[in-house]
Amino acid sequence: MNAAIWLLVIFVEGFASLGIEIIALRRLVPQIGSSITVTAPTIALFLLALATGYWSGGRIAQDFERRVLRNFLAAALIAGVGLSSVVVEALFGTVQDPWLAYLLLMALVVCPPAWLLAQTVPLLTNILPQQRVGAASGVALTASTAGSVLGAAVLALVVMQRLGVAAAVLLCAATLALVVLAAASRAGQRPLAGIAALVLVGVTAVNLMPRSGTQETAYADYRTVERQTMSLTDGLPGTHRTLIINNQLASQLGGARGADGSVPKRAAYVERLQQVLLQELQLADRRILVLGAGGFTLSLGDASNHYTYVDVDPAIQQIAERDFLGGPIAGEFIAADARDFIRGTDQRFDAVVVDVYSAHAAMPAHLVTLEFWQSLRRPLTDGGAVLANLILDGQLASAFARNLLATIEQGLGRCTVDVLHRTRRISNVLVVCRPSGTALPAVQLYTDDLNRVERDRGILGY
């Protein structure tokens, strides 16, 4: 083959290798989240595989073209099957320790294709026509990097958004297999072409396997589970519907909407949130902002207020309406990152509800910081309230619980804390804050030696 075709092969290598990394990070979201403690070691291990691949590729002294095609074929098979939802879910479902499952995924599925594909540039540099090694390496690295740029843009911004993660896996693996099939057929290598065709068929089949109602987007996996239950009020059968997002219970509805307009039974924390909004804060004909859409259940049964839901996934409204709610949401939906929306909006709200979770009780890291909680003051009207649903230990004794609650109060002032399930190890914890324009005075402890309790209590008049 001529140099132009080999440059195209290098371009495909860049496309597929970075695509595998992006897909791996997305596959890990439902299993162990997307925090920096997940992404950093994933990128580091991937780069380590690339580095060892470059080194090993540079040591090969012959049979360059055939070695590249064999590497492409092996990488297509490993990534195309190993990154399929079937294999990833089976691995994390079988191995009890999620971090052990993570290491196995990296060692057996993600790093081997990276190592194989990294050999492409040093191998094909040997046959590019440039007279100097530096010139040949520069051309090869340019083609590889261009492929990586296109892979990042197309897979993350187009394929995953419109077709889902399985389509991205299939595109990466199929592209590698098609390169081998075309090159082997052109060179008359029928056995290799036949194997490439089998790999192409295999990775297509495994990634098109149905997932029992699961829908994948670039941000999350969604699944609605329905089961028949007996009503606790009238003893009649009804439907209990649960929305699962990234393997975590996100919303639930028990029964159907009553003839009197009553709403189905919702999750306990949602019922409690609505009670605080309508009865305790007595909001009526007001604007309420909800960060994190979930199943859009908070606004059900409340026709007196206007709700604006903000969620990073633009597909969540359609999925919730079609598969969970069975009808249109009550309110307005805006697809945006919560922090970006808060920073840029000119709208004002009488209450902001924070219910942002990605997977396994994990809040996005940029939505737990002091700066985020302070920014929530911006869209609030005077006297407005911030309500947050947190998932913490029931005793509020962990470092995470203590630090998060302290961070919220540092940003929003003194808040009330309501633990919904005090006897459980993990519980929903509702935090309600009424930010004011004045800073809280410094805390002074009451001691036997210096006890100002009577003075302080007298200042408040009780």
Side-chain angles (χ1 to χ4, degrees), residues 46 60-61 64-65 77 90 131 136-137 150 155 189 201 204 231 272 292 324 339 352 417 420 429:
F46 189 84
I60 297 172
F64 307 122
E65 299 95 331
L77 181 61
Q131 294 180 350
S137 299
L150 184 66
L155 293 174
Q189 301 177 18
V201 171
T204 301
S231 171
R272 177 67 180 131
F324 180 64
R339 194 158 175 173
V352 176
V417 179
L420 266 60
V429 177

Side-chain angles (χ1 to χ4, degrees), residues 3-20:
I5 294 179
W6 284 124
L7 286 176
L8 179 61
V9 170
I10 296 173
F11 179 89
V12 170
E13 170 270 322
F15 179 93
S17 60
L18 192 65
I20 289 170

Side-chain angles (χ1 to χ4, degrees), residues 285-307:
D285 195 24
R286 302 294 182 89
R287 295 173 55 81
I288 299 173
L289 174 64
V290 185
L291 302 178
F296 298 89
T297 57
L298 181 59
S299 55
L300 293 180
D302 180 10
S304 61
N305 293 295
H306 176 78
Y307 287 78

Side-chain angles (χ1 to χ4, degrees), residues 329-352:
I329 66 171
E332 175 190 6
F333 172 65
I334 298 174
D337 175 82
R339 194 158 175 173
D340 285 344
F341 176 82
I342 292 296
R343 184 186 298 115
T345 185
D346 293 327
Q347 301 182 58
R348 292 296 176 264
F349 301 91
D350 301 283
V352 176

Side-chain angles (χ1 to χ4, degrees), residues 12 15 45 65 68 86 122 154 198 201 214 226 240 288 326 428:
V12 170
F15 179 93
L45 290 172
E65 299 95 331
V68 168
V86 176
V154 170
L198 289 176
V201 171
T214 298
E226 289 192 9
H240 183 90
I288 299 173
N428 289 95

Side-chain angles (χ1 to χ4, degrees), residues 53 107 122 130 143 154 188 244-245 289-290 334 434 438:
Q130 280 74 13
V154 170
I244 308 294
I245 302 179
L289 174 64
V290 185
I334 298 174
R434 302 292 294 272
T438 58

Side-chain angles (χ1 to χ4, degrees), residues 40-65:
T42 301
I43 295 172
L45 290 172
F46 189 84
L47 291 175
L48 179 61
L50 289 179
T52 56
Y54 296 142
W55 180 81
S56 60
R59 292 175 60 85
I60 297 172
Q62 59 185 357
D63 203 17
F64 307 122
E65 299 95 331

